[in-house]
Amino acid sequence: MVEQFVGNWTLVSSDNFDDYMKTIGVNFATRQMGNMVKPNLVFSMGDDGFISMKSESTFKTTEIKFKLTEEFEETTADGRNTKTVVTFENGKLVQHQKWDGKETTIEREIQDGKLTAKCIADDVVALRTYERV
């Protein structure tokens, strides 16, 4: 159920995120900020079937609103313009982004009361873990 994601989450650990950002083409200065910030993720669901995912930090706040399986245009926190589709598979919210001939997948799931985000690009995997606020 997507509802299990609804709420506020704060980043508590991040492994291999710099290598992931390098792989998807994020520049050095933006990676430095990306490695320092501890964003909060806020998930909510509307009566219209749209899911909102907001990433809030002192550096930048971004929000996407989407319906499962429907492609939409996303401008990422690092400035990429992607064609994005989010699906719900085996208990995971799977976000697939494509841009400029590249692609990445972010798999979010709830494990032991924590939200994990596995970021996959080529053969690089980063894992970010969030706790409910």
Side-chain angles (χ1 to χ4, degrees), residues 18-30:
D18 191 61
D19 281 346
Y20 169 76
M21 288 190 291
K22 265 188 223 168
T23 302
I24 62 172
V26 178
N27 70 46
F28 180 76
T30 304

Side-chain angles (χ1 to χ4, degrees), residues 24-85:
I24 62 172
V26 178
N27 70 46
F28 180 76
T30 304
R31 286 201 327 268
Q32 293 294 97
M33 292 302 293
N35 284 319
M36 286 179 4
V37 298
K38 298 270 190 256
N40 286 332
L41 275 185
V42 182
F43 281 92
S44 59
M45 291 181 69
D47 295 333
D48 55 5
F50 277 89
I51 299 167
S52 165
M53 185 175 68
K54 187 184 290 188
S55 176
E56 301 173 328
S57 73
T58 50
F59 174 54
K60 188 177 255 188
T61 294
T62 59
E63 182 175 17
I64 57 173
K65 291 186 178 188
F66 57 90
K67 283 189 174 178
L68 291 176
T69 72
E70 290 186 12
E71 185 177 80
F72 62 97
E73 294 191 7
E74 175 183 4
T75 301
T76 63
D78 55 54
R80 290 172 292 125
N81 292 312
T82 67
K83 297 273 190 202
T84 301
V85 176

Side-chain angles (χ1 to χ4, degrees), residues 14-22 34-35 119 126-128:
S14 182
D15 298 307
N16 210 34
F17 194 57
D18 191 61
D19 281 346
Y20 169 76
M21 288 190 291
K22 265 188 223 168
N35 284 319
C119 309
L127 187 66
R128 291 166 69 84

